[in-house]
Amino acid sequence: MSQDSSPLSEVPEIIAIDGPAGAGKTTTAREIARRLDFMHLDTGAMYRALALKVLRDGCPLDDAERIGQIAQDARVALLLGESGQRVILDGEDVTDLIRSPEVTQAVTPVCEVGQVRERMVELQRLAGSSGGVVVEGRDIGTVVFPDARIKIFLIADLSERARRRMLELQAAGNTATLDEVMTQIAERDRRDQQRDLAPLRQAADAILIDTTSLSFDQQVEEIIRLYTAR
Ligand code: DC
């Protein structure tokens, strides 16, 4: 079913938000979901949970075959708890653990493995099948939900994204410098854009929003306005 040929009523009520690291996808998607009473699906958190499982297994990060097997056995779910979205890996709440620098490093090679992407896309489609979902990631508009009601590609200047990420890290007690964060984000962008499978790119029918000089409220309201105008 393509968006062009299907009646609007058959298009799943999905808001797809893609973009590079630090563009504000997660906070924006969470707030849009809250205001519209939608579910929020943070697909990056799912890849992070799997990377944590790979690290715990002691599996080398270049062993694609074993990483693929680990993905087949993994049960990754996102639940809405009283303190926001919780990430559950094989029955354990790993919400806080998946934001560690070790997991952030490991997730890049892990999410490049074909079997990992197949398994995650399957779980993501299942989670979004009933609609009423804001889904964010890198390949949502291009691969996971190409028929989404609306697709947003969220970007911001590298220096602004690094500044926002550094503030988040500092709030969590991390002492990373702006230069370090900028280098890490640039490297993650490069690998996300250049990988063979489901690379980060703007879908042809996605709307580009540059948040560099937008306030948080402005970007949330703009996406809701675009969605309700469809
Ligand atoms: O959004 P994030 O930083 O939490 O994502 C973690 C990693 O997962 C990121 O390096 C890219 C990858 N990812 C992906 O490949 N596809 C998605 N749909 C979401 C995230």
Side-chain angles (χ1 to χ4, degrees), residues 11-183:
V11 177
E13 290 298 330
I14 285 173
I15 300 177
I17 303 181
D18 288 302
K25 298 184 300 293
T26 301
T27 46
T28 307
R30 185 188 301 137
E31 180 60 12
I32 293 170
R34 194 188 66 75
R35 293 194 196 179
L36 296 179
D37 201 15
F38 273 26
M39 210 170 82
H40 168 210
L41 194 60
D42 174 357
T43 62
M46 299 174 72
Y47 285 99
R48 284 171 179 273
L50 197 59
L52 176 67
K53 188 172 168 82
V54 169
L55 285 175
R56 282 178 167 177
D57 183 88
C59 173
L61 293 174
D62 58 359
D63 189 341
E65 199 179 322
R66 192 154 138 207
I67 292 175
Q69 281 161 5
I70 293 172
Q72 292 309 307
D73 297 336
R75 285 178 299 123
V76 180
L78 301 178
L79 299 179
L80 192 61
E82 280 185 6
S83 52
Q85 180 169 270
R86 311 303 298 174
V87 185
I88 312 296
L89 170 66
D90 298 332
E92 178 191 349
D93 187 331
V94 295
T95 311
D96 299 325
L97 297 175
I98 61 168
R99 303 287 161 194
S100 73
E102 293 75 20
V103 170
T104 301
Q105 283 257 309
V107 69
T108 301
V110 166
C111 76
E112 289 170 354
V113 174
Q115 274 178 296
V116 167
R117 300 212 71 88
E118 278 169 28
R119 174 81 176 133
M120 291 297 113
V121 170
E122 182 190 328
L123 293 176
Q124 290 156 15
R125 287 191 178 141
L126 201 64
S129 59
S130 50
V133 194
V134 187
V135 192
E136 46 128 339
R138 305 293 191 285
D139 59 344
I140 309 307
T142 51
V143 175
V144 186
F145 291 112
D147 291 339
R149 173 80 68 169
I150 189 168
K151 301 177 189 176
I152 304 293
F153 198 74
L154 211 60
I155 59 163
D157 287 353
L158 176 62
S159 55
E160 175 60 16
R161 291 189 283 127
R163 193 187 66 81
R164 293 176 190 169
R165 188 48 61 89
M166 193 189 64
L167 291 177
E168 274 172 25
L169 287 169
Q170 285 176 348
N174 192 303
T175 54
T177 67
L178 188 62
D179 272 357
E180 284 165 355
V181 177
M182 202 156 8
T183 307

